[in-house]
Amino acid sequence: MKKLGIIDYGAGNLASVCNSFRAIGVEGHLVRRAEDLAGITHLVLPGVGAFGDCGTALRAQGLDTAIRDWVAQDRPFLGICIGYQILFDSSEETPGVPGLGIFAGKVRRFRGAELKIPHMGWNTVHPTTPGAGIWAGMGAEPHFYYVHSYFPEPEDASIISATSEYGEVYAAAICRGKLVATQFHPEKSQKLGLKLLENFLNV
């Protein structure tokens, strides 16, 4: 029996994420402390806001250790936007505030002087394994919706599951075991976004 947990750290895009899962027939349960994980089978960390605020809030709620333990046990996990970035060591957005350090790497800002920042809108995603795993049921170059000024640079390139391009090529998504994390917003990406959420639940 699947039970979906959606982490609430006082920010994020909770209503939109909950509504998107509801659209595919799954009700999300808000997780505000480690005790709320009882019975949860699939965990989502959505993100809107700043890297530092997210990391500080997760630590204050005791969820930083809970998330690390969850991922270490290879249980289904989906990180979205800041929920993707916070998995890494640090970010140029908030120097001195550590991330969860689950993956080695730094989150950095787009550097192109000609680029409009934040990057907002639809963009092509290039999966490393088109049509397989989290990308099942999509074409070779699906489009997803972005709102971001920063992106992670994983030290281990083998975890990169898809790339995108905005002035430069960057890691649009990572996968390792049952963990998936995306820089784009599935909950804002209409049909393909819902398909990705459905694929995640079928992990």
Side-chain angles (χ1 to χ4, degrees):
M1 185 72 175
K2 296 173 185 175
K3 184 176 180 181
L4 175 69
I6 301 176
I7 294 175
D8 176 11
Y9 56 91
N13 197 21
L14 290 179
S16 182
V17 172
C18 289
N19 287 339
S20 293
F21 277 106
R22 196 171 291 125
I24 58 175
V26 178
E27 195 67 35
H29 302 267
L30 295 183
V31 173
R32 297 189 176 98
R33 54 182 185 167
E35 292 82 355
D36 296 335
L37 289 171
I40 298 296
T41 61
H42 291 65
L43 185 60
V44 179
L45 177 56
V48 172
F51 181 97
D53 293 342
C54 177
T56 299
L58 291 176
R59 281 185 283 275
Q61 294 170 244
L63 287 171
D64 56 331
T65 299
I67 292 171
R68 290 191 194 96
D69 290 346
W70 183 281
V71 173
Q73 294 169 29
D74 196 25
R75 304 178 71 183
F77 179 92
L78 172 63
I80 300 172
C81 197
I82 298 297
Y84 165 35
Q85 296 177 11
I86 201 66
L87 301 177
F88 291 83
D89 295 319
S90 62
S91 174
E92 292 180 349
E93 184 178 19
T94 49
V97 180
L100 296 179
I102 292 171
F103 297 104
K106 186 173 185 177
V107 177
R108 74 168 180 84
R109 196 176 195 271
F110 285 110
R111 303 223 194 295
E114 77 288 355
L115 297 177
K116 184 177 180 181
I117 306 297
H119 167 217
M120 297 179 64
W122 295 87
N123 205 351
T124 304
V125 171
H126 303 279
T128 56
T129 55
I134 198 71
W135 311 108
M138 306 178 196
E141 297 184 338
H143 283 69
F144 291 94
Y145 192 84
Y146 288 87
V147 183
H148 66 125
S149 302
Y150 299 83
F151 60 89
E153 287 188 324
E155 289 187 11
D156 179 5
S158 71
I159 66 172
I160 298 174
S161 180
T163 60
S164 197
E165 184 173 356
Y166 189 64
E168 59 188 300
V169 177
Y170 62 91
I174 59 170
C175 290
R176 189 184 73 182
K178 296 175 184 175
L179 176 146
V180 179
T182 68
Q183 184 58 66
F184 55 81
H185 288 268
E187 77 280 6
K188 297 178 182 287
S189 298
Q190 301 177 6
K191 184 178 179 180
L192 286 183
L194 295 181
K195 180 60 179 173
L196 188 144
L197 298 182
E198 188 176 85
N199 289 344
F200 164 68
L201 289 171
N202 288 330
V203 167

